[in-house]
Amino acid sequence: MQYKKSEIIDKIIFTVKIAAGSCISILLAEYMRLNFVSSAGIITLLSILTTKWATVKLAVNRVLSFVVTVCISKIAFWNSGSNWMNYFLFLLLLVGISLALKWRDTISVNAVIGTHFMETHNFGYTAILNELLLVILGISVALLLNFIQNNRDKEKQLKNDMRYIEQIIQQSLDKIAGYLRHQKSEGNVWDDIISLEQYLSDALDRACRYQNNTFVSHPEYYIHYIEMRTKQTNILHNLHYEIKKIREIPEQAKKIADYIEYLSVYVLEKNIPEKQLFALEEMKKKFRQDRLPQTREEFEGRAVLYHIMMDLEEFLMFKKRFIEGMDEEQKKIYWEQK
């Protein structure tokens, strides 16, 4: 599939960014004649291992936690006693404070900085400035490189995901309608639904990565859309389960099959399901006007059909709530509506 090709490209870009970014940081640190230049490369590597938004947050936390690290280092390494005992005290304080302040991602870099102070026992202005410049240099290169994203292709892939999801839902609805008509269809609707659920999970991961790696307006639209389709897929599970419980399919099942086929045509991103909800309500009214069931099997079958109509209504309501949750700017951006 196309998304696999996109993921391979992302992995290649990610690998190059880590290797190139770390080397650039070390070269710049050497040019600036800093001490412990390899640490700049490590800081860049650890900072690139995040999304764009997470890198920005991590950069702020690294600077703030650096001040705390210097203070802890002065406490732990104030004398030249046993290094391992001093470092134990340093890590004890560093990890404890970092976890309390939710700076878990900064621990590894600050632990490295601590080893520099442990080796030199130098807390002069020049030494502290050297460590600060290593941190700033490392996170700056990471920030710049994390702005290099394949976002255009990622958004294109998300749109392809949406079209594929819609197609599978349409096919599943058509198979369910065919089952109500005693028609045989290629493949198993249950297998299709299970496969779709896995695809939806993967698509949601891609949507989350896209949101965390872009600064465009309302990138969460794709997440909300896929979550809506996931809920609708759960309804397909219910439909399939309800239909399997029917011992004798009533004659009214054909009307529901007709409606499901009509509904499947409108499983589209920009369709507002008002007409489909109205048609469903009209069908429910006609069902109430039909003669009462005469046998137990007919009664049970009619009850299942009623549950199916309730499931179909919920299926449409998920889409309606999704649309109602959009603001005017989102509609303008993604639906091209003013």
Side-chain angles (χ1 to χ4, degrees):
M1 285 185 175
Q2 182 67 30
Y3 77 87
K4 290 185 178 180
K5 179 181 177 181
S6 178
E7 287 182 351
I8 292 172
I9 294 173
D10 287 342
K11 289 177 181 179
I12 293 173
I13 293 174
F14 184 67
T15 302
V16 173
K17 284 198 298 186
I18 287 179
S22 297
C23 291
I24 290 171
S25 294
I26 292 173
L27 287 171
L28 290 174
E30 289 178 344
Y31 177 79
M32 296 169 66
R33 297 184 179 180
L34 299 177
N35 296 323
F36 307 109
V37 294
S38 60
S39 296
I42 294 173
I43 294 171
T44 297
L45 182 150
L46 293 173
S47 299
I48 289 178
L49 295 175
T50 57
T51 62
K52 185 185 291 185
W53 276 110
T55 302
V56 174
K57 181 180 178 181
L58 180 60
V60 175
N61 288 342
R62 287 215 194 285
V63 174
L64 294 175
S65 64
F66 173 79
V67 178
V68 176
T69 301
V70 173
C71 295
I72 294 174
S73 298
K74 282 189 175 182
I75 295 172
F77 305 124
W78 65 275
N79 61 42
S80 57
S82 174
N83 278 343
W84 75 266
M85 285 294 293
N86 291 344
Y87 197 63
F88 172 79
L89 175 62
F90 167 77
L91 285 180
L92 199 65
L93 294 172
L94 175 67
V95 175
I97 293 173
S98 297
L99 293 178
L101 296 176
K102 298 181 180 180
W103 288 344
R104 189 187 189 97
D105 291 339
T106 67
I107 292 174
S108 54
V109 168
N110 290 332
V112 173
I113 292 172
T115 62
H116 300 166
F117 288 121
M118 181 181 70
E119 292 177 11
T120 62
H121 292 278
N122 182 359
F123 295 96
Y125 169 79
T126 303
I128 293 175
L129 180 61
N130 180 87
E131 300 301 322
L132 179 60
L133 289 174
L134 288 174
V135 172
I136 293 175
L137 179 61
I139 61 179
S140 296
V141 173
L143 276 170
L144 290 173
L145 290 176
N146 264 355
F147 273 84
I148 302 174
Q149 299 288 338
N150 194 22
N151 282 332
R152 182 173 296 180
D153 286 345
K154 288 179 180 177
E155 185 173 23
K156 182 180 178 182
Q157 177 57 51
L158 286 172
K159 291 178 179 178
N160 290 337
D161 285 339
M162 292 160 69
R163 301 293 84 79
Y164 177 77
I165 291 165
E166 291 165 2
Q167 178 185 347
I168 299 303
I169 290 177
Q170 288 175 324
Q171 291 176 0
S172 298
L173 286 169
D174 288 339
K175 288 181 180 179
I176 290 172
Y179 186 89
L180 287 171
R181 289 200 178 98
H182 294 286
Q183 295 175 348
K184 292 184 178 181
S185 59
E186 295 183 4
N188 187 310
V189 66
W190 186 257
D191 293 336
D192 292 344
I193 293 171
I194 292 174
S195 177
L196 177 58
E197 286 178 329
Q198 181 58 56
Y199 191 95
L200 282 162
S201 177
D202 294 339
L204 183 61
D205 288 340
R206 289 191 286 275
C208 289
R209 287 199 301 270
Y210 175 77
Q211 176 177 326
N212 292 328
N213 280 304
T214 184
F215 295 123
V216 300
S217 298
H218 301 289
E220 71 278 1
Y221 171 83
Y222 296 109
I223 293 176
H224 294 163
Y225 182 86
I226 294 170
E227 288 175 340
M228 178 269 295
R229 291 304 188 193
T230 300
K231 292 174 183 176
Q232 288 188 323
T233 302
N234 292 334
I235 294 294
L236 295 182
H237 259 302
N238 293 338
L239 283 173
H240 183 257
Y241 178 72
E242 294 289 349
I243 291 173
K244 286 182 68 177
K245 292 194 300 184
I246 300 178
R247 298 180 184 178
E248 181 179 331
I249 297 180
E251 60 183 24
Q252 291 88 351
K254 183 180 181 301
K255 296 178 183 179
I256 293 182
D258 291 340
Y259 177 80
I260 291 175
E261 288 184 342
Y262 155 75
L263 173 63
S264 69
V265 177
Y266 295 96
V267 180
L268 303 172
E269 176 188 1
K270 299 178 183 179
N271 176 64
I272 301 174
E274 295 294 341
K275 292 182 179 180
Q276 290 75 54
L277 283 166
F278 177 79
L280 179 61
E281 189 59 34
E282 290 297 307
M283 184 173 65
K284 286 162 63 177
K285 288 180 182 178
K286 292 180 181 178
F287 262 63
R288 297 189 192 104
Q289 297 170 359
D290 287 344
R291 67 175 180 81
L292 295 174
Q294 302 300 310
T295 65
R296 180 183 179 87
E297 289 76 14
E298 190 178 352
F299 176 82
E300 291 176 347
R302 190 86 64 87
V304 172
L305 292 183
Y306 185 79
H307 278 291
I308 290 173
M309 287 190 290
M310 294 300 99
D311 286 339
L312 291 171
E313 183 177 19
E314 190 68 13
F315 180 91
L316 292 169
M317 287 304 298
F318 282 133
K319 179 64 180 297
K320 184 179 179 182
R321 294 182 195 119
F322 165 74
I323 296 171
E324 291 172 346
M326 295 168 58
D327 57 33
E328 293 304 315
E329 187 178 357
Q330 283 179 308
K331 290 180 180 178
K332 183 177 179 180
I333 294 171
Y334 296 100
W335 284 29
E336 299 176 355
Q337 292 183 356
K338 295 185 179 179

